[in-house]
Amino acid sequence: MAAKLIAASPFVGIAVFVSLIALVAFYYKPFSQQRLFTVEELALYNGTDQSLPILLGILGSVFDVTKGKSHYGEGGGYNHFSGRDASRAFVSGNFTGDGLTDSLRDLSSTQVKSVVEWRDFYFRSYTFVGKLVGRYYDSEGNPTKYLKGVEAKAARGAQLLEKQKNEEAKQPSCNSRWSQDEGGEVWCDEGVPRLVQRPLEIALTGKMSKRCACFKEDQLDQSGLEVYEGCDFLAKTCRV
């Protein structure tokens, strides 16, 4: 019996060695091929282990940002993005707690568009190494309905921005300047300054806003034009 155990021991050792090699290769292999990550796996690449590359996710796409180690590594200004998908934080500016999430719930179309543009930036600037299984990709690496919805909302935001740009180009914007000593002022080279609503802004940002536009005297009977407080009706320059 002892002889059999001794004879078998080399094979047991080889099996253990092969298992260890496979485990090491899984976590330490170069990302020459795209792969799927779980949340737990991605968390290993957060810059704390100097022997591992630094990875981040955005909209489920995973990128190797090791070449930006001074920013994404431990102690770096962008380290909060490393080892996770914190898509929301790219536009919210909330880098703590619940802010470091991949959920874009309740964000406006322009904010979602900005997140998609950040993802495009990483595709251009860093190496794409795989996908994060979860909200944006399923266990086979296929895009989820959530990702398709995000991209559709971003496209809608781009269309609305273009429409707003074209609409506002029909009525020239005011010139403006501001200084700490003198405050701000707006003026028109032709026409007079008026505050006007930006109707598409609600769809874009969820909030109503106004802009300063220049109107000729024969246009001043239009509804919705607001004279700056303290400014003469036909003044070409107004303090703000």
Side-chain angles (χ1 to χ4, degrees), residues 5-236:
L5 287 175
I6 293 172
S9 61
F11 298 101
V12 173
I14 291 172
V16 171
F17 178 75
V18 169
S19 297
L20 287 173
I21 290 296
L23 182 63
V24 170
F26 179 78
Y27 290 111
Y28 292 82
K29 68 180 180 181
F31 295 105
S32 57
Q33 295 182 340
Q34 298 168 13
R35 54 173 273 202
L36 298 178
F37 294 86
T38 64
V39 171
E40 294 76 17
E41 288 167 359
L42 184 59
L44 296 173
Y45 303 94
N46 65 358
T48 56
D49 187 335
Q50 300 300 311
S51 66
L52 293 177
I54 305 171
L55 307 182
L56 68 72
I58 178 169
L59 297 179
S61 294
V62 180
F63 300 91
D64 186 336
V65 295
T66 308
K67 69 178 183 180
K69 185 176 181 179
S70 60
H71 302 293
Y72 296 99
E74 191 171 16
Y78 302 146
N79 180 246
H80 41 259
F81 289 117
S82 301
R84 57 162 58 95
D85 185 331
S87 295
R88 189 182 190 89
F90 281 92
V91 294
S92 72
N94 182 357
F95 305 129
T96 60
D98 294 339
L100 294 171
T101 176
D102 62 353
S103 172
L104 305 187
R105 182 180 177 85
D106 298 328
L107 292 186
S108 68
S109 58
T110 50
Q111 288 176 311
V112 173
K113 175 178 175 291
S114 293
V115 177
V116 171
E117 289 172 346
W118 271 110
R119 182 192 61 180
D120 295 343
F121 161 78
Y122 282 98
F123 269 114
R124 293 193 305 270
S125 306
Y126 293 92
T127 303
F128 173 65
V129 296
K131 300 170 183 176
L132 178 64
V133 175
R135 189 182 301 274
Y136 298 106
Y137 291 97
D138 64 23
S139 59
E140 295 181 352
N142 299 312
T144 63
K145 291 182 179 179
Y146 195 93
L147 178 58
K148 294 176 182 177
V150 162
E151 292 176 335
K153 189 170 185 177
R156 175 60 175 161
Q159 292 172 352
L160 287 172
L161 281 173
E162 185 64 22
K163 183 177 180 180
Q164 183 181 71
K165 178 181 176 181
N166 292 336
E167 289 294 323
E168 294 184 355
K170 299 175 183 177
Q171 200 68 48
S173 295
C174 305
N175 302 299
S176 64
R177 59 176 163 241
W178 182 91
S179 70
Q180 188 170 0
D181 294 332
E182 299 181 6
E185 66 178 0
V186 294
W187 74 94
C188 294
D189 296 324
E190 294 184 11
V192 296
R194 289 293 186 269
L195 278 171
V196 293
Q197 299 279 5
R198 308 178 79 187
L200 291 176
E201 199 69 12
I202 292 180
L204 286 166
T205 66
K207 300 177 182 179
M208 178 61 79
S209 69
K210 300 177 182 180
R211 74 180 184 103
C212 181
C214 296
F215 291 83
K216 296 179 180 179
E217 288 189 38
D218 61 1
Q219 297 176 303
L220 296 180
D221 59 350
Q222 296 180 29
S223 62
L225 304 188
E226 182 180 338
V227 180
Y228 278 91
E229 184 178 354
C231 192
D232 292 338
F233 188 78
L234 293 179
K236 288 182 173 293

